[in-house]
Amino acid sequence: AAHDALPATGGTIIADFEGTQNISTALTITKPIVLLGLGRNATVFNWTPTTGTAMTVNIDYTPTNCPAVDLQGFSLTGPGKAVGTTTGIAFTDGERARLNNLFLSGWSTEAMNFTGNTADDTSNNMTYANGVYIRSCATGIRFEGDNVNATEFYNMDVRLCDTGVRYKVYNTDYPLGNFLSGHFDDNTTNLLVEGKRNRFRVWLEPSALTTWQIDLPAGSGINEFDLLNASQSTKFRDLGSSNRINFSGNSAQAFPLNPPSNQDALEGINNI
């Protein structure tokens, strides 16, 4: 109701609910809004159906719709990793989504997906994410489409998923630049790359080295990786002769191992 009452130019919705709110009606966001809860431990939206997408963001990109949506301070939970066919948040069009202080769990398809709209040749990306926690989903985050072209993760924590992050981009002439920073532990596959010509810069916490795994299926094309602090290359799956992996010779010494002490350096890289 608050969304529908806003003008086409959007505005801020303060979802000052405390505790768990069961929901069964999907929310479709078609206006540039800020959706602000009381915090991921305070405002919890629990999707009760075993099928469907709880929240869909569909905003055509224009200079005035930037960022398209800003989601902050709530949890969005589903019925379970192996229950039905459910998705938490689907970003079907638009640019520069901002996410902050969110928790998503229990989604049998994916916690979040980003898919570009090829009809109007727009792009779709997550320009900023800080303090986003994902647990126990089939896929944590999926990026798929012709124009899904940029990703920046700050302080992400994706665990207990079959696939942590999945990329499948069809436009082979548009290389992606991606920065992943945070914990990606206890996932069967942390990074599944099905698209072509991607460039990844991945910051790996020391504790993640024992569980990190990159899967590049046949036909995934040329992919380059800078694995910061990944000095133990033998812990990574063989990427195959059709792909290149760039361990960046001095990367193990580029930043200290303690994440808080190198945060400024990481932000500097992220903002280049």
Side-chain angles (χ1 to χ4, degrees):
H3 171 277
D4 293 346
L6 288 171
T9 53
T12 299
I13 298 174
I14 300 177
D16 57 348
F17 300 105
E18 188 169 357
T20 300
Q21 314 293 320
N22 289 327
I23 58 173
S24 59
T25 300
L27 172 64
T28 299
I29 298 173
T30 58
K31 304 171 184 178
I33 66 166
V34 177
L35 178 58
L36 181 61
L38 298 177
R40 65 176 182 269
N41 296 320
T43 300
V44 179
F45 299 112
N46 180 51
W47 177 253
T48 56
T50 58
T51 60
T53 299
M55 185 181 299
T56 299
V57 179
N58 188 345
I59 304 175
D60 287 336
Y61 171 71
T62 67
T64 58
N65 289 343
C66 187
V69 66
D70 191 337
L71 306 178
Q72 301 184 36
F74 60 87
S75 293
L76 186 63
T77 60
K81 176 181 177 180
V83 178
T85 54
T86 57
T87 297
I89 308 175
F91 299 83
T92 59
D93 198 6
E95 281 206 19
R96 302 181 183 178
R98 295 174 62 90
L99 311 173
N100 191 16
N101 191 23
L102 300 178
F103 178 83
L104 295 95
S105 68
W107 300 98
S108 61
T109 304
E110 55 246 345
M112 293 189 291
N113 67 49
F114 292 78
T115 56
N117 186 332
T118 59
D120 55 13
D121 198 35
T122 57
S123 302
N124 193 353
N125 64 62
M126 180 168 62
T127 192
Y128 177 86
N130 186 25
V132 176
Y133 296 81
I134 295 175
R135 294 287 187 277
S136 300
C137 299
T139 296
I141 307 173
R142 176 173 66 90
F143 295 85
E144 183 169 351
D146 276 340
N147 295 287
V148 186
N149 64 0
T151 310
E152 300 175 358
F153 297 165
Y154 277 125
N155 302 324
M156 297 289 291
D157 196 311
V158 181
R159 307 188 188 206
L160 302 174
C161 297
D162 296 335
T163 301
V165 183
R166 174 186 174 188
Y167 289 90
K168 188 172 184 178
V169 180
Y170 308 119
N171 188 344
T172 59
D173 296 327
Y174 200 109
L176 293 181
N178 304 295
F179 185 92
L180 313 180
S181 172
H183 294 276
F184 292 83
D185 293 349
D186 302 318
N187 305 303
T188 305
T189 294
N190 285 286
L191 178 60
L192 175 62
V193 183
E194 299 172 285
K196 300 176 183 294
R197 295 198 55 187
N198 298 285
R199 177 94 167 61
F200 294 92
R201 173 165 285 171
V202 181
W203 168 264
L204 296 177
E205 303 286 358
S207 62
L209 287 174
T210 58
T211 60
W212 187 271
Q213 183 164 307
I214 298 172
D215 283 342
L216 297 173
S220 62
I222 302 300
N223 295 280
E224 295 184 31
F225 294 83
D226 282 334
L227 301 175
L228 306 183
N229 278 354
S231 58
Q232 302 181 53
S233 59
T234 57
K235 291 187 177 181
F236 290 80
R237 173 173 288 189
D238 180 9
L239 299 181
S241 59
S242 64
N243 300 282
R244 288 190 297 133
I245 182 165
N246 178 12
F247 282 99
S248 185
N250 295 321
S251 62
Q253 291 78 40
F255 305 106
L257 292 178
N258 184 7
S261 65
N262 73 353
Q263 192 62 49
D264 290 341
L266 289 174
E267 290 177 357
I269 291 174
N270 208 35
N271 291 327
I272 292 176

